[in-house]
Amino acid sequence: MKVRGSEGALSLDAVDMKIDSVRIDGRDSRFKFDKKKGRLRIPAVPKKESTVTITYTKQVADDVIVGLYKSRYGKDHMLVTDLEPAKARTVFPCKDEPLYKAVFKLTVTTDRGISVISNTLSRSEEVTEDGRVKFEFDPTPRMSTYLFFLGVGSFEERSIASGKTRLTVASRPGQSHKGEFILETSAAVLKGYEKYFGIGYPLKKLHLIALPEYHTGAMENWGAITSRESFVLLDENSSAADQRTGAGVMAHEIAHQWFGDLVTMKWWDDLWLNESFASFMDPKMIEKLHPEWDPWRDFLRFGTFRSLNADALSTTHPIQAKVKSVEQVEGIFDSISYGKGAAVLRMLESYVGEEAFRRGVAAYLRRFEYSNARGEDLWEALGKTSGLPVSRVARAWITKAGFPVVTVRTSNGKVKFSQSRFRLNGEETDGSWPIPLNLQVDGKPRTMLLDRKSMSVSARKPLEVVVNRRRTGFYSVLHDKEGYDQIARRFATLHSHDRAGIINDLYLFLQAGKIEPELYFRFVSLTARLADLLATELVTDQLANLRAIADEAGIVRESYTEFYPAQIQRIGLFRKKGEDDSISTVRETLAEQLARTNMYYARKLARGFAAYQEVEPDIRAAVALSYAVTRGEAAFDPLLKLVMDASNELERAKVYPALTSFDDPSLVEKTLELGISGKVSRSDSRFIILGAASNPRARATLWKWLVKRYDRLHDIYGGSFQFYLFLDRAIPRCGIGHESEVRRFISGKRFKEGETTFRRTFELLDTNSGLRQRLLAS
Ligand SMILES: [Zn+2]
């Protein structure tokens, strides 16, 4: 590496490797390697620019699934990297912080017949004297270490051109033809961003690499995006929902090529800026390509609404989290950094206007390209293009944990709004945000800044004022009884997004014990009668969660027994010719729950199992589930065979809900074991564990298994996003009835980087247990 020794000694991060020698400008140098701390100190680096050559050996561990690891398929594997936030130091000695940008010039020598992928194009490939092949890559632009990528293996590629850029899907052999849809979509997305940002994509190529084993979703390595197979390899066996998800993920990662890669945060406390922005751009871009998909529907369902839930916990954190050490970074790749951050950006966009927002973003990227920036720099740019106090509003939202509930009261031609902080544990606390209130007053949209405790507006029809119109704001809205009666009367006439917002708020209030359960279920009943795709999906998610934690509660059973059949009768159990893709995505969600809860539909769906490969992709998971539910133990082996014969992740993912749906604990445990056995991709544990967590009769089994296998799971997935998912998505369900045991067990297993997740897990478990009690009592 070329360095300038202004600090005197050079201190580098280097972990899990053996340092053989250090030379400075060709001469041997002293060095001190503290293996435990992962620090390599080279004492005497001259002030002038010099070349430091470090010879080191790195052994690739067998178990791991982060850093430099073996992504396996069958008996083969590819060697790949996944380095965010701080694993580059386990691959090469470096200054492993985002602020230190460098130009990488990579040369790789491998056996013949193997290909190598990195951030840039390989400029030459020559055969060495001993018959191997040496790949030399173009220098990268100045970039942060965590964006480096190296992949070595038998990659199969398929390419198209998008303007001056070559776009390539790379996969294991025999799979790349399934990348056609993602290639086409990504080409259009890339062009869309070039136009939006006003800055061309700076590299000659962009790889989209499908990894057979991958711990997270996808990663934005510059010029070499990596992903789970299920987001890239889509074919006629993929459902409309699979395509939507894949397209959305790529739109997110491609946005990072500018926002994150070209301009990078100075330090990890601004990680959210990367993630929120990419999450916000995804629906914006997809809406241009597929307006019929209404991508804001998924943005609300998976982003805004989920993060409201997470942000209502007292264990939440400000969007701009305090990150003192790099270990703490892992805990903040969560719905606050992604979902809440993105929702706040959307709120700011609706406050400053779309064009002023775009111009501000473009100016910010231009100013800081190939360098680093902070959130403040973006607010400043947005303030300049809009002339509004963006910094003040943004600062309040990103530095304060939690969000406000706006309480609405009406009297004598006036609507009064007041705000306080909302918490799931029911505690009301003071707290005030500058809220850009997005209203609909007497039929007309209107924005006003609520930047004190309360304020009023006059309206001819106060009871019809819509608050948080289209749900562009990050706050919940609480009405009084008269307000809800009035909303119930005109519920069918509201905009779908407004309706979903009301349902989501009621669900929050239900969990907090702020309303009687009957009020929430009254609105579920109203939704059952409506054709509203977002509201249907949302209620389906909520009822599935309520069933997972309180299946015995009569009020829950009655509700889903009414809701699911009413909705499936509306859209039909089977796909109709020429049907809109959006309907098919709702059917996928709905049919799965019907299979779990309704014998009549389960029998009907199970008939499809005989010709499983011909079943429409959107109901495959439901057909497999129905087969398991109706057949019991006899279904296990045929389902297992489906998994073992499946050619890719998506196909397997559709069978795991079935394999974890059994009443018999030994069968569920067999499936859980399969996930970590090495016989299937280690990426699959995500589907398996979350599948088991959706089965109310598997709660005890799953908890016992997690205790038994905790260390093993940590060995494989520790330090990965997947591991946190097991904690805060599975334990709040399966830990019910074992609350103090959960605390005791986990407290003995704590580790620094998991602190935030542990606390969140406990609180979510308490929330679920409390809700369960209230539902059983009502
Ligand atoms: Zn991202």
Side-chain angles (χ1 to χ4, degrees):
M1 62 178 77
K2 285 213 191 307
V3 295
R4 232 184 282 273
S6 56
E7 305 162 28
L10 177 66
S11 173
L12 298 174
D13 300 302
V15 174
D16 284 343
M17 58 181 68
K18 196 174 138 272
I19 307 288
D20 302 317
S21 70
V22 177
R23 294 165 78 83
I24 300 174
D25 294 328
R27 280 192 302 277
D28 276 339
S29 161
R30 288 183 293 129
F31 66 91
K32 211 174 134 200
F33 182 38
D34 185 335
K35 217 174 164 173
K36 227 168 139 194
K37 284 200 184 128
R39 290 246 134 213
L40 172 64
R41 268 179 72 83
I42 305 168
V45 179
K47 280 238 185 290
K48 64 170 177 67
E49 187 176 282
S50 34
T51 305
V52 178
T53 312
I54 303 168
T55 313
Y56 67 98
T57 316
K58 161 83 187 169
Q59 185 74 43
V60 181
D62 260 331
D63 247 356
V64 295
I65 194 167
V66 287
L68 179 65
Y69 75 97
K70 294 172 188 167
S71 186
R72 297 200 183 91
Y73 54 97
K75 290 194 172 67
D76 229 322
H77 71 261
M78 41 179 92
L79 191 64
V80 293
T81 56
D82 186 65
L83 305 183
E84 190 181 21
K87 289 282 190 286
R89 64 189 67 184
T90 66
V91 183
F92 47 85
C94 58
K95 282 272 188 200
D96 197 13
E97 288 178 20
L99 184 62
Y100 297 101
K101 290 200 168 186
V103 173
F104 292 82
K105 291 180 195 161
L106 178 71
T107 308
V108 181
T109 308
T110 68
D111 290 344
R112 258 189 176 171
I114 291 179
S115 42
V116 183
I117 300 173
S118 187
N119 304 83
T120 52
L121 281 175
S122 145
R123 57 159 65 161
S124 76
E125 290 168 25
E126 59 181 78
V127 180
T128 61
E129 275 173 17
D130 58 355
R132 299 199 294 167
V133 186
K134 193 164 119 185
F135 295 82
E136 201 185 326
F137 288 87
D138 279 342
T140 66
R142 265 171 59 83
M143 66 176 203
S144 304
T145 46
Y146 78 94
L147 296 169
F148 175 86
F149 177 75
L150 169 65
V152 182
S154 306
F155 291 106
E156 185 183 274
E157 298 195 341
R158 177 168 290 238
S159 303
I160 58 169
S162 167
K164 289 186 201 140
T165 312
R166 195 176 83 195
L167 258 172
T168 302
V169 158
S171 71
R172 64 191 154 93
Q175 296 288 320
S176 70
H177 63 283
K178 296 178 184 164
E180 210 59 56
F181 168 78
I182 279 301
L183 267 182
E184 299 288 339
T185 307
S186 301
V189 165
L190 197 69
K191 276 202 196 108
Y193 284 137
E194 289 187 323
K195 198 166 156 223
Y196 184 88
F197 296 131
I199 301 174
Y201 173 72
L203 297 175
K204 289 188 198 132
K205 66 94 178 175
L206 175 58
H207 267 97
L208 312 166
I209 307 155
L211 298 181
E213 286 193 309
Y214 198 42
H215 72 98
T216 176
M219 172 65 205
E220 68 267 24
N221 313 303
W222 212 353
I225 291 169
T226 43
S227 165
R228 276 182 175 256
E229 286 191 340
S230 53
F231 298 148
V232 177
L233 305 178
L234 301 151
D235 57 9
E236 67 284 355
N237 293 321
S238 333
S239 66
D242 298 331
Q243 296 194 339
R244 267 173 97 110
T245 309
V249 169
M250 290 308 133
H252 175 110
E253 302 307 333
I254 297 173
H256 275 314
Q257 304 298 306
W258 284 263
F259 216 106
D261 297 3
L262 181 66
V263 179
T264 313
M265 68 257 149
K266 280 197 166 133
W267 174 243
W268 295 108
D269 55 356
D270 268 327
L271 166 82
W272 72 274
L273 194 58
N274 273 5
E275 295 312 340
S276 319
F277 194 83
S279 305
F280 170 66
M281 285 311 290
D282 143 17
K284 249 182 119 53
M285 195 45 64
I286 296 296
E287 187 180 32
K288 292 203 171 90
L289 306 180
H290 292 283
E292 77 285 2
W293 283 0
D294 181 14
W296 294 106
R297 201 174 104 199
D298 288 346
F299 181 86
L300 287 172
R301 179 181 170 204
F302 299 120
T304 309
F305 294 160
R306 269 194 198 166
S307 53
L308 279 166
N309 219 78
D311 205 27
L313 298 170
S314 59
T315 45
T316 185
H317 59 84
I319 295 180
Q320 190 173 46
K322 283 198 178 63
V323 181
K324 289 201 196 79
S325 70
V326 81
E327 285 89 11
Q328 291 173 329
V329 186
E330 282 162 12
I332 58 166
F333 281 89
D334 60 7
S335 55
I336 302 299
S337 299
Y338 286 71
K340 181 182 179 182
V344 168
L345 286 177
R346 187 178 184 219
M347 183 160 73
L348 288 175
E349 189 203 46
S350 90
Y351 176 52
V352 303
E354 226 173 320
E355 183 52 20
F357 187 87
R358 191 197 64 76
R359 277 188 291 117
V361 168
Y364 161 88
L365 288 174
R366 262 279 171 247
R367 174 146 180 234
F368 296 99
E369 58 185 358
Y370 304 104
S371 174
N372 301 72
R374 301 211 41 137
E376 287 297 327
D377 301 318
L378 177 62
W379 314 140
E380 216 173 90
L382 294 176
K384 259 190 205 149
T385 50
S386 68
L388 290 166
V390 180
S391 289
R392 184 168 66 87
V393 175
R395 207 174 297 132
W397 282 92
I398 65 164
T399 55
K400 248 163 104 148
F403 65 88
V405 49
V406 173
T407 305
V408 182
R409 297 274 176 270
T410 50
S411 64
N412 310 329
K414 273 201 177 330
V415 188
K416 187 181 166 201
F417 309 104
S418 54
Q419 57 164 313
S420 60
R421 178 169 174 185
F422 176 77
R423 290 175 197 262
L424 273 187
N425 65 13
E427 275 172 31
E428 281 263 345
T429 39
D430 257 6
S432 176
W433 282 255
I435 310 175
L437 274 187
N438 199 358
L439 308 171
Q440 185 166 306
V441 182
D442 299 327
K444 288 193 196 80
R446 182 169 164 189
T447 311
M448 55 194 267
L449 195 65
L450 170 61
D451 57 357
R452 54 195 130 106
K453 193 85 198 126
S454 63
M455 64 196 289
S456 304
V457 341
S458 350
R460 269 188 288 117
K461 293 181 179 163
L463 277 169
E464 288 184 15
V465 168
V466 176
V467 190
N468 202 350
R469 183 179 167 270
R470 305 294 184 265
R471 289 290 148 161
T472 56
F474 196 77
Y475 52 94
S476 58
V477 185
L478 179 68
H479 299 269
D480 54 14
K481 192 182 169 304
E482 207 191 342
Y484 281 117
D485 286 344
Q486 173 65 16
I487 291 170
R489 274 194 289 278
R490 47 193 187 94
F491 199 54
T493 65
L494 295 177
H495 185 278
S496 163
H497 296 184
D498 292 333
R499 201 150 43 211
I502 289 161
I503 295 167
N504 193 66
D505 286 344
L506 286 170
Y507 190 68
L508 283 171
F509 303 147
L510 171 77
Q511 293 174 81
K514 222 173 153 66
I515 54 166
E516 292 299 325
E518 288 72 16
L519 180 61
Y520 165 76
F521 288 106
R522 176 179 170 201
F523 277 85
V524 170
S525 265
L526 288 173
T527 308
R529 288 173 229 155
L530 297 175
D532 180 333
L533 301 180
L534 174 59
T536 301
E537 284 171 326
L538 190 64
V539 169
T540 306
D541 294 343
Q542 291 166 351
L543 291 179
N545 188 49
L546 295 178
R547 176 175 172 269
I549 63 172
D551 188 35
E552 310 88 329
I555 196 168
V556 175
R557 284 190 173 214
E558 275 163 35
S559 186
Y560 66 65
T561 307
E562 176 201 5
F563 188 81
Y564 299 147
Q567 284 298 347
I568 205 74
Q569 277 160 24
R570 176 162 295 109
I571 62 171
L573 190 56
F574 302 102
R575 196 176 176 131
K576 292 179 202 88
K577 238 191 153 142
E579 177 187 275
D580 198 283
D581 276 353
S582 292
I583 293 177
S584 159
T585 62
V586 177
R587 177 180 300 112
E588 185 159 6
T589 313
L590 210 50
E592 187 180 324
Q593 295 311 319
L594 272 170
R596 289 181 190 275
T597 58
N598 189 305
M599 261 306 171
Y600 168 77
Y601 283 100
R603 282 199 200 97
K604 236 174 147 163
L605 285 160
R607 274 180 232 142
F609 193 77
Y612 183 77
Q613 302 302 341
E614 274 113 69
V615 171
E616 286 285 346
D618 60 351
I619 54 163
R620 276 198 190 174
V623 166
L625 250 168
S626 299
Y627 182 67
V629 168
T630 53
R631 286 295 188 90
E633 197 183 338
F636 190 85
D637 288 335
L639 287 166
L640 184 64
K641 189 172 180 317
L642 266 188
V643 163
M644 301 317 283
D645 293 348
S647 74
N648 64 33
E649 181 178 293
L650 264 181
E651 288 176 32
R652 294 193 304 274
K654 293 198 191 308
V655 189
Y656 287 128
L659 276 172
T660 48
S661 69
F662 295 100
D663 289 349
D664 181 346
S666 69
L667 295 178
V668 175
E669 192 174 342
K670 250 167 126 174
T671 311
L672 288 164
E673 285 290 309
L674 178 70
I676 54 170
S677 65
K679 288 185 197 133
V680 294
S681 165
R682 287 171 294 170
S683 312
D684 293 7
S685 283
R686 171 200 194 109
F687 307 112
I688 296 175
I689 294 179
L690 298 183
S694 302
N695 176 359
R697 284 176 293 278
R699 282 203 302 260
T701 313
L702 177 57
W703 169 243
K704 264 200 265 165
W705 183 82
L706 284 173
V707 169
K708 193 165 91 185
R709 290 302 194 195
Y710 188 93
D711 293 337
R712 178 90 188 106
L713 287 168
H714 191 250
D715 284 347
I716 304 175
Y717 304 102
S720 81
F721 173 71
Q722 185 122 319
F723 190 71
Y724 300 112
L725 210 66
F726 300 154
L727 292 172
D728 70 4
R729 297 275 290 279
I731 294 180
R733 288 180 175 181
C734 73
I736 288 176
H738 310 275
E739 290 77 5
S740 50
E741 198 192 326
V742 166
R743 274 192 162 73
R744 232 181 7 253
F745 178 76
I746 300 285
S747 298
K749 298 280 184 192
R750 286 186 171 194
F751 46 92
K752 229 175 25 198
E753 59 270 36
E755 246 346 280
T756 328
T757 315
F758 289 136
R759 284 188 288 119
R760 180 166 52 230
T761 302
F762 296 149
E763 194 178 357
L764 280 168
L765 175 59
D766 291 343
T767 306
N768 282 349
S769 302
L771 176 58
R772 176 183 159 84
Q773 293 311 327
R774 284 195 300 281
L775 290 169
L776 288 173
S778 69

